[in-house]
Amino acid sequence: MSAQDHGEPAHRPDGPGGHGPAGAPATPARGPEIAARVGMPLGVAILVCFVTGLLSHWIQHPPDWFHWPAHPVWLYRVTQGLHVIAGVAAIPLLLVKLWAVYPRLFQRPRLSPLVLAERGSIALLVGSVIFQLATGLVNIAQFYPWKFFFPQAHYAMAYVALGALAVHLAVKLPVIRTALDRPVNTPPSSGISRRAVLNAGWIAAAVAGLAVAGQSVPFLRWLAVLAPRSGEGPQGVPVNRTAVAAGVVDRARDPGYRLIVAAGDRTREFGRAELAALPQTSARLPIACVEGWSASAQWSGVRLRDLLGSVGYRGGAVRFESLEESGIYRTSILPAVHVAAADTLVALMINGQPLDLDHGYPCRLIAPNRPGVLQTKWLARIEVLA
Ligand SMILES: Nc1nc2c(c(=O)[nH]1)N[C@H]1C(S)=C(S)[C@@H](COP(=O)(O)O)O[C@H]1N2
Ligand SMILES: [Mo]
């Protein structure tokens, strides 16, 4: 290879050329060489987010054909941790990619169907990916300006992003291939080198990913500077919704508290002391929040299937209802596989102590391999669904 091969070609039909749209000199480092290289890990991150996000959605809103196992207990913790880590790491990659191509985004397109399809898919892609990353980030920062809107919008927009990505890849494949064949090293005279931009991108993505990984990977916890829930909280476990926020303090502390267990017309009631007098089981299980943070704890309490045995449980899904009167997570439905699992508990204790009010005192559901939102706290009623 001669030295000239490393030089900038005089004319690149698919590059930004030597000048930006307003006639200003473009930074030579910009262009498809960087866009294509950053695009690969960005595409992988988007795919990881899509697959893990879809899983999380199906677990929470299961279609008939979908079955999520109870074991291994840590699987959801891993998939949802990956979802958030990949999403956060994608943010610097997206910024570098946009930086590499943005003068082209403002060029007036030629009116050919292919060019219009390309431009349309890029507009959709950029818009939907920015939307996904921004709403996801705001969500893991525990800031919910929209409540109901986020999960549906984030879910629907995922299909838009994936479709636009597929079109974008198909249309751009020739450009991507030539760009990847071209060297990243720009001549020293041309200011910032592509190599420097790319290295900055990789480092930024790694730092962002690591900084949020600490909220789910125990030995990285000390690095979790971007993680809003990384270990604080009573009894060593974070809390999303406190007993005060849920408005359950009085009912949870009421000495007349009774847990109602019902199957058809058979109903039984248990006070907390009665639950504690039943055979107790211990299990090490994580709380794995959809927001990506997770934490393991040693839980103990009554096996759900034993408790249900007292009302003649014969199989099927079970519905849990909280003392909480309103709030989107006051109920959950547990599929039969999880009901049958030996480590699905109506927990009374966490890490050797009675549950803190914020962790669901007098008792809460804790089941293996489930999103945190479905681990209902402050249980009032457990009902077998017909
Ligand atoms: N009744 C009720 N249970 C709930 C919630 C809630 O808002 N209300 N939040 C859920 C969510 S989102 C998570 S992540 C876990 C957190 O449990 P922890 O606070 O004990 O860590 O509780 C779940 N159980
Ligand atoms: Mo959660």
Side-chain angles (χ1 to χ4, degrees):
M1 196 187 276
S2 77
Q4 266 86 26
D5 289 339
H6 292 278
E8 192 81 347
H11 173 68
R12 294 182 305 175
D14 49 353
H19 292 83
T27 307
R30 281 207 174 100
E33 296 82 359
I34 285 187
R37 284 176 173 86
V38 170
M40 285 189 295
L42 180 59
V44 170
I46 290 173
L47 212 62
V48 167
C49 284
F50 184 79
V51 172
T52 52
L54 205 57
L55 268 178
S56 184
H57 180 85
W58 283 335
I59 298 167
Q60 292 172 70
H61 310 278
D64 287 340
W65 52 266
F66 183 77
H67 298 285
W68 183 245
H71 298 100
V73 300
W74 44 260
L75 190 57
Y76 181 78
R77 180 181 200 184
V78 170
T79 64
Q80 196 60 13
L82 275 178
H83 183 81
V84 170
I85 293 168
V88 170
I91 293 172
L93 298 178
L94 178 70
L95 292 176
V96 172
K97 188 158 160 74
L98 288 176
W99 175 85
V101 299
Y102 90 82
R104 281 174 57 81
L105 296 180
F106 298 102
Q107 279 166 14
R108 186 182 291 276
R110 274 176 291 124
L111 287 178
S112 88
L114 193 65
V115 170
L116 288 181
E118 182 219 324
R119 285 313 188 85
S121 73
I122 287 182
L124 267 183
L125 182 61
V126 172
S128 58
V129 171
I130 289 177
F131 178 87
Q132 291 300 77
L133 297 180
T135 53
L137 191 67
V138 167
N139 191 252
I140 62 171
Q142 318 266 314
F143 172 55
Y144 306 97
W146 38 65
K147 288 259 181 210
F148 269 102
F149 181 55
F150 170 75
Q152 282 101 319
H154 199 67
Y155 172 67
M157 198 61 93
Y159 288 100
V160 176
L162 198 80
L165 178 61
V167 175
H168 177 67
L169 280 175
V171 172
K172 286 286 190 182
L173 205 57
V175 179
I176 296 170
R177 294 175 74 154
T178 37
L180 290 179
D181 284 343
R182 280 201 293 266
V184 282
N185 298 324
T186 40
S189 62
S190 59
I192 186 168
S193 72
R194 292 189 185 121
R195 178 64 63 205
V197 174
L198 279 175
N199 286 344
W202 306 147
I203 292 169
V207 167
L210 280 174
V212 83
Q215 66 177 347
S216 36
V217 185
F219 69 87
L220 292 177
R221 190 130 288 169
W222 58 279
L223 270 175
V225 291
L226 282 187
R229 292 283 186 279
S230 50
E232 82 280 27
Q235 299 166 322
V237 174
V239 168
N240 256 19
R241 190 158 165 86
T242 62
V244 169
V248 296
V249 174
D250 292 342
R251 266 162 292 148
R253 286 209 179 118
D254 183 351
Y257 166 83
R258 289 280 181 281
L259 171 66
I260 300 168
V261 182
D265 48 12
R266 289 182 68 175
T267 299
R268 289 203 49 182
E269 295 191 2
F270 300 86
R272 193 177 187 283
E274 291 169 277
L275 290 170
L278 294 171
Q280 304 289 298
T281 302
S282 239
R284 188 153 190 92
L285 296 173
I287 289 278
C289 184
V290 291
E291 290 149 6
W293 66 261
S294 57
S296 248
Q298 191 71 28
W299 304 89
S300 57
V302 185
R303 257 192 196 132
L304 177 66
R305 66 183 191 203
D306 295 349
L307 199 59
L308 290 172
S310 72
V311 289
Y313 175 69
R314 293 282 177 118
V318 171
R319 183 173 184 275
F320 293 80
E321 210 177 294
S322 175
L323 291 172
E324 198 182 347
E325 277 174 338
S326 59
I328 42 179
Y329 305 132
R330 60 176 299 276
T331 68
S332 68
I333 290 175
L334 192 69
V337 203
H338 288 81
V339 179
D343 45 1
T344 294
L345 307 178
V346 170
L348 305 172
M349 313 268 289
I350 179 174
N351 294 333
Q353 295 168 0
L355 286 178
D356 188 276
L357 258 187
D358 287 341
H359 287 311
Y361 179 91
C363 66
R364 76 168 308 159
L365 168 64
I366 183 83
N369 198 23
R370 299 226 86 201
V373 282
L374 304 177
Q375 311 274 28
T376 310
K377 303 197 274 194
W378 314 292
L379 287 178
R381 186 181 168 87
I382 303 175
E383 187 180 344
V384 178
L385 298 175

